[in-house]
Amino acid sequence: MLLRGTISAPLSCLRLRSTTSSTPPLNVSVSRRTSTTTNNYSISDQDLDSRGFLLHRTIAELNMDHLNKVFVAVGFPKRDPDKIRTALEHTDALLWMEYRKTKRPVAFARATGDGVFNAIIWDVVVDPSFQGLGLGKAVMERLVEELVAKGICNIALYSEPRVLGFYRPLGFVADPDGIRGMVYSRKPRRKK
């Protein structure tokens, strides 16, 4: 388990194995070292506002069809909007960013967990036409700060291998204890 403190395990020690070349990229579990620093954002709330971005922490004004379009644009499968709403209603913390001119979501992240010790961050997305502006980092900084403020000391996330480099500067590392995540698979097992 990762507790508050400095972790020196490099992300490069993470080994990914694929059984065939046609196997899609594996999701990788990484953990975040927590910090006591607060409100030290790369982009301030005022700067975001001056650029036309509004921060939201509830789903009250979030259009599920618009969010789904962002999911699809970054390569997630299209999801049933009612199921998205149900998932978000069962989410412990979320943050999304709306572009004022279009009134549509352009960045999003959420976390689930036990509310005490552990949280997992899911669905970190930035609309491709808004990538490179620091919005993903802005959303992650605020989401992680909220989790740490609740006293959660073990924060993990699942990520496609191609974007692991995005999370390292935010304090995420491969699990320093060498714990590897597993996922349940409905695929039939091969008989030996």
Side-chain angles (χ1 to χ4, degrees):
M1 179 187 320
L2 181 64
L3 297 176
R4 187 173 300 240
T6 303
I7 305 302
S8 60
L11 200 53
S12 61
C13 70
L14 191 60
R15 291 186 184 92
L16 302 175
R17 280 188 251 151
S18 175
T19 54
T20 67
S21 60
S22 64
T23 302
L26 300 173
N27 283 336
V28 179
S29 175
V30 294
S31 296
R32 184 188 192 279
R33 354 171 230 195
T34 56
S35 166
T36 56
T37 309
T38 58
N39 292 326
N40 193 14
Y41 302 138
S42 55
I43 304 173
S44 71
D45 290 355
Q46 294 79 15
D47 286 343
L48 287 168
D49 186 60
S50 71
R51 295 181 190 181
F53 298 106
L54 304 171
L55 292 167
H56 299 272
R57 293 184 182 273
T58 70
I59 62 171
E61 299 176 40
L62 181 58
N63 180 303
M64 298 304 142
D65 290 318
H66 293 165
L67 179 60
N68 208 8
K69 287 179 182 177
V70 178
F71 286 158
V72 170
V74 299
F76 288 12
K78 187 173 182 177
R79 300 170 175 176
D80 178 321
D82 291 332
K83 288 184 178 183
I84 294 173
R85 178 171 298 285
T86 299
L88 298 186
E89 288 169 349
H90 292 90
T91 292
D92 296 319
L94 65 83
L95 196 136
W96 63 282
M97 206 170 294
E98 173 186 357
Y99 187 49
R100 190 179 290 117
K101 288 182 182 178
T102 62
K103 305 263 190 231
R104 291 180 178 244
V106 295
F108 177 88
R110 70 185 184 104
T112 60
D114 57 25
V116 180
F117 303 111
N118 303 292
I120 299 177
I121 296 175
W122 305 93
D123 301 331
V124 180
V125 294
V126 176
D127 185 303
S129 35
F130 290 88
Q131 291 177 1
L133 302 176
L135 303 182
K137 186 175 185 180
V139 168
M140 285 294 295
E141 289 169 339
R142 287 159 176 83
L143 183 62
V144 167
E145 180 184 66
E146 180 178 338
L147 296 171
V148 170
K150 291 179 179 179
I152 296 171
C153 57
N154 186 36
I155 301 170
L157 65 88
Y158 287 94
S159 172
E160 292 292 327
R162 64 185 168 81
V163 294
L164 286 174
F166 167 76
Y167 297 104
R168 189 168 189 192
L170 294 169
F172 286 87
V173 296
D175 192 301
D177 296 327
I179 296 171
R180 299 242 177 159
M182 297 179 74
V183 295
Y184 175 76
S185 175
R186 293 185 186 168
K187 295 178 185 175
R189 293 183 215 160
R190 293 184 186 187
K191 294 183 180 180
K192 294 181 181 184

